[in-house]
Coordinates of all heavy atoms in Angstrom, one line a residue:
F1 N 99.0 170.3 188.9 CA 99.3 170.3 187.5 C 100.8 170.5 187.2 O 101.4 169.8 186.3 CB 98.5 171.3 186.9 CG 98.7 171.5 185.4 CD1 98.3 170.6 184.4 CD2 99.4 172.7 184.9 CE1 98.6 170.8 183.1 CE2 99.6 172.8 183.6 CZ 99.3 171.9 182.6
A2 N 101.4 171.3 188.0 CA 102.8 171.8 187.7 C 103.7 170.7 188.1 O 104.7 170.4 187.3 CB 103.1 173.1 188.5
Y3 N 103.5 170.1 189.3 CA 104.6 169.2 189.8 C 104.1 168.1 190.8 O 104.6 167.0 190.8 CB 105.8 169.9 190.3 CG 105.6 170.8 191.4 CD1 105.6 170.4 192.8 CD2 105.2 172.2 191.2 CE1 105.4 171.3 193.8 CE2 104.9 173.0 192.2 CZ 105.1 172.6 193.5 OH 104.8 173.4 194.6
V4 N 103.3 168.5 191.7 CA 103.0 167.7 192.9 C 102.4 166.3 192.5 O 102.9 165.3 192.9 CB 102.0 168.3 193.9 CG1 101.6 167.3 195.0 CG2 102.5 169.6 194.5
A5 N 101.4 166.2 191.7 CA 100.8 165.0 191.2 C 101.8 164.1 190.5 O 101.7 162.9 190.5 CB 99.6 165.3 190.4
L6 N 102.9 164.7 189.9 CA 103.8 164.0 189.1 C 104.7 163.1 190.0 O 105.0 161.9 189.7 CB 104.8 164.9 188.3 CG 104.0 165.8 187.3 CD1 105.0 166.8 186.7 CD2 103.3 165.0 186.2
G7 N 105.1 163.7 191.1 CA 105.9 163.0 192.1 C 105.1 161.9 192.8 O 105.6 160.8 193.0
D8 N 103.9 162.2 193.1 CA 103.0 161.2 193.7 C 102.8 160.0 192.8 O 102.8 158.9 193.2 CB 101.7 161.9 194.0 CG 101.7 162.9 195.2 OD1 102.8 162.8 195.9 OD2 100.7 163.6 195.4
A9 N 102.6 160.3 191.5 CA 102.3 159.2 190.6 C 103.5 158.2 190.5 O 103.3 157.0 190.4 CB 102.0 159.8 189.1
A10 N 104.7 158.8 190.5 CA 105.9 157.8 190.4 C 105.9 156.9 191.6 O 106.2 155.7 191.5 CB 107.1 158.7 190.3
T11 N 105.6 157.5 192.8 CA 105.6 156.6 194.0 C 104.5 155.6 193.9 O 104.7 154.4 194.2 CB 105.3 157.5 195.2 OG1 106.3 158.5 195.3 CG2 105.2 156.6 196.5
I12 N 103.3 155.9 193.4 CA 102.2 155.0 193.3 C 102.5 153.9 192.3 O 102.3 152.7 192.5 CB 100.9 155.8 192.9 CG1 100.4 156.7 194.0 CG2 99.8 154.8 192.5 CD1 99.3 157.6 193.6
G13 N 103.0 154.3 191.2 CA 103.3 153.3 190.1 C 104.3 152.2 190.6 O 104.2 151.1 190.3
K14 N 105.3 152.7 191.3 CA 106.3 151.7 191.9 C 105.6 150.8 192.9 O 105.9 149.5 192.8 CB 107.5 152.4 192.4 CG 108.3 153.2 191.4 CD 109.4 154.0 192.1 CE 110.2 154.9 191.1 NZ 111.2 155.8 191.7
Q15 N 104.9 151.3 193.7 CA 104.2 150.5 194.8 C 103.2 149.5 194.2 O 103.2 148.3 194.6 CB 103.5 151.4 195.8 CG 104.5 152.2 196.7 CD 103.8 153.0 197.7 OE1 102.5 153.1 197.7 NE2 104.5 153.6 198.6
I16 N 102.4 149.9 193.2 CA 101.5 149.1 192.6 C 102.2 147.9 191.9 O 101.8 146.7 191.9 CB 100.5 149.8 191.7 CG1 99.7 150.8 192.5 CG2 99.7 148.9 190.9 CD1 98.7 150.1 193.5
A17 N 103.2 148.3 191.1 CA 104.0 147.3 190.4 C 104.6 146.2 191.4 O 104.5 145.0 191.1 CB 105.1 147.9 189.6
A18 N 105.1 146.7 192.5 CA 105.7 145.8 193.4 C 104.7 144.8 194.0 O 105.0 143.6 194.2 CB 106.4 146.6 194.5
S19 N 103.5 145.4 194.3 CA 102.5 144.5 195.0 C 101.9 143.5 193.9 O 101.5 142.4 194.3 CB 101.3 145.3 195.5 OG 100.7 146.1 194.5
F20 N 101.8 143.9 192.6 CA 101.3 143.0 191.6 C 102.2 141.9 191.2 O 101.8 140.8 191.0 CB 100.9 143.9 190.4 CG 100.1 143.2 189.3 CD1 98.8 143.0 189.5 CD2 100.8 142.8 188.2 CE1 98.0 142.4 188.5 CE2 100.0 142.0 187.2 CZ 98.7 141.9 187.3
Y21 N 103.5 142.3 191.1 CA 104.4 141.3 190.5 C 105.3 140.6 191.7 O 106.0 139.7 191.4 CB 105.4 141.9 189.5 CG 104.7 142.4 188.3 CD1 104.7 143.8 188.0 CD2 104.2 141.6 187.4 CE1 104.0 144.3 186.9 CE2 103.6 142.0 186.2 CZ 103.5 143.4 186.0 OH 102.9 143.9 184.9
G22 N 105.2 141.2 192.9 CA 106.0 140.6 193.9 C 107.4 141.2 193.9 O 108.3 140.7 194.7
R23 N 107.7 142.1 193.1 CA 109.0 142.7 193.1 C 108.9 144.1 192.4 O 108.1 144.4 191.6 CB 110.0 141.9 192.2 CG 109.7 141.8 190.8 CD 110.6 140.8 190.0 NE 110.3 140.8 188.6 CZ 109.4 140.1 188.0 NH1 108.6 139.3 188.7 NH2 109.3 140.1 186.7
A24 N 109.8 145.1 192.9 CA 109.7 146.5 192.5 C 110.3 146.5 191.0 O 111.2 145.7 190.6 CB 110.5 147.3 193.4
P25 N 110.0 147.6 190.3 CA 110.6 147.7 188.9 C 112.1 147.9 189.1 O 112.6 148.6 190.1 CB 110.0 149.1 188.4 CG 108.7 149.3 189.2 CD 108.9 148.6 190.5
Q26 N 112.8 147.3 188.2 CA 114.3 147.4 188.3 C 114.8 148.8 187.8 O 115.7 149.3 188.3 CB 114.9 146.3 187.4 CG 116.5 146.2 187.5 CD 117.1 145.0 186.8 OE1 116.3 144.2 186.2 NE2 118.4 144.9 186.8
Y27 N 114.1 149.3 186.8 CA 114.3 150.7 186.2 C 113.0 151.4 186.1 O 111.9 150.7 185.7 CB 115.1 150.6 184.9 CG 116.4 150.0 185.0 CD1 116.7 148.6 184.7 CD2 117.5 150.6 185.5 CE1 117.9 148.0 184.8 CE2 118.8 150.1 185.6 CZ 119.0 148.8 185.2 OH 120.2 148.2 185.3
S28 N 113.0 152.7 186.1 CA 111.9 153.5 185.9 C 112.2 154.7 184.9 O 113.2 155.3 185.1 CB 111.3 154.2 187.2 OG 111.0 153.1 188.1
Y29 N 111.3 154.9 183.9 CA 111.6 155.9 182.9 C 110.4 156.8 182.8 O 109.3 156.4 183.1 CB 111.9 155.2 181.6 CG 113.2 154.3 181.6 CD1 113.1 153.0 181.9 CD2 114.4 154.9 181.5 CE1 114.2 152.2 181.9 CE2 115.5 154.2 181.6 CZ 115.5 152.8 181.8 OH 116.5 152.0 181.9
R30 N 110.6 158.0 182.2 CA 109.6 158.9 182.0 C 109.6 159.3 180.6 O 110.7 159.6 180.0 CB 109.7 160.2 182.9 CG 108.7 161.3 182.6 CD 107.4 161.0 183.3 NE 106.4 161.9 182.9 CZ 105.2 162.1 183.4 NH1 104.8 161.2 184.4 NH2 104.3 163.0 183.0
S31 N 108.5 159.3 179.8 CA 108.3 159.7 178.5 C 107.2 160.6 178.2 O 106.1 160.4 178.7 CB 108.2 158.4 177.6 OG 108.0 158.7 176.3
G32 N 107.4 161.7 177.4 CA 106.4 162.5 177.1 C 106.8 163.7 176.2 O 108.0 163.9 176.0
C33 N 105.8 164.3 175.5 CA 106.1 165.4 174.6 C 105.3 166.6 174.9 O 104.1 166.4 175.4 CB 105.9 164.9 173.2 SG 106.5 166.2 172.0
S34 N 105.7 167.8 174.7 CA 104.9 169.0 175.0 C 104.8 169.2 176.4 O 105.7 169.3 177.2 CB 103.6 169.0 174.2 OG 103.0 170.3 174.2
T35 N 103.5 169.1 176.9 CA 103.3 169.2 178.4 C 104.0 168.0 179.0 O 104.6 168.1 180.1 CB 101.8 169.1 178.8 OG1 101.2 170.4 178.5 CG2 101.6 168.8 180.2
G36 N 104.0 166.8 178.3 CA 104.7 165.7 178.8 C 106.2 165.9 179.0 O 106.9 165.5 179.9
G37 N 106.8 166.7 178.0 CA 108.1 167.1 178.1 C 108.5 168.0 179.3 O 109.4 167.9 180.0
R38 N 107.5 169.0 179.5 CA 107.7 169.8 180.6 C 107.6 169.0 181.9 O 108.4 169.3 182.9 CB 106.6 170.9 180.6 CG 106.7 171.9 181.8 CD 105.3 172.6 182.0 NE 104.2 171.8 182.3 CZ 103.9 171.2 183.5 NH1 104.8 171.4 184.5 NH2 102.9 170.5 183.7
Q39 N 106.7 168.1 181.9 CA 106.6 167.3 183.2 C 107.9 166.6 183.4 O 108.3 166.4 184.6 CB 105.4 166.3 183.0 CG 104.0 166.9 183.0 CD 102.9 166.0 182.5 OE1 103.2 165.0 181.8 NE2 101.7 166.2 183.0
G40 N 108.5 166.1 182.4 CA 109.7 165.4 182.6 C 110.8 166.2 183.2 O 111.6 165.8 184.1
L41 N 111.0 167.5 182.7 CA 112.0 168.3 183.2 C 111.7 168.7 184.6 O 112.5 168.9 185.4 CB 112.2 169.6 182.3 CG 112.8 169.2 180.9 CD1 112.9 170.5 180.1 CD2 114.1 168.5 181.0
M42 N 110.4 168.9 184.9 CA 110.0 169.3 186.2 C 110.3 168.2 187.2 O 110.7 168.4 188.3 CB 108.5 169.6 186.2 CG 108.0 170.2 187.6 SD 108.7 171.8 188.0 CE 107.5 172.9 187.1

């Protein structure tokens, strides 16, 4: 909850996008408020 799953998710998202489109994301962004804001700073 604090941080581990957040780092894993970023890795998963990039890999799935690369396999689906045949190319990796050119840029990656994080957006959130409240708990989402805390997750961003973490």
Side-chain angles (χ1 to χ4, degrees):
F1 174 73
Y3 59 92
V4 174
L6 302 174
D8 291 347
T11 300
I12 293 170
K14 292 174 184 178
Q15 292 183 352
I16 295 297
S19 65
F20 188 80
Y21 297 111
R23 62 185 187 277
Q26 188 173 0
Y27 296 99
S28 298
Y29 299 96
R30 176 78 187 188
S31 176
C33 187
S34 192
T35 284
R38 177 196 66 77
Q39 292 170 333
L41 294 181
M42 187 66 84

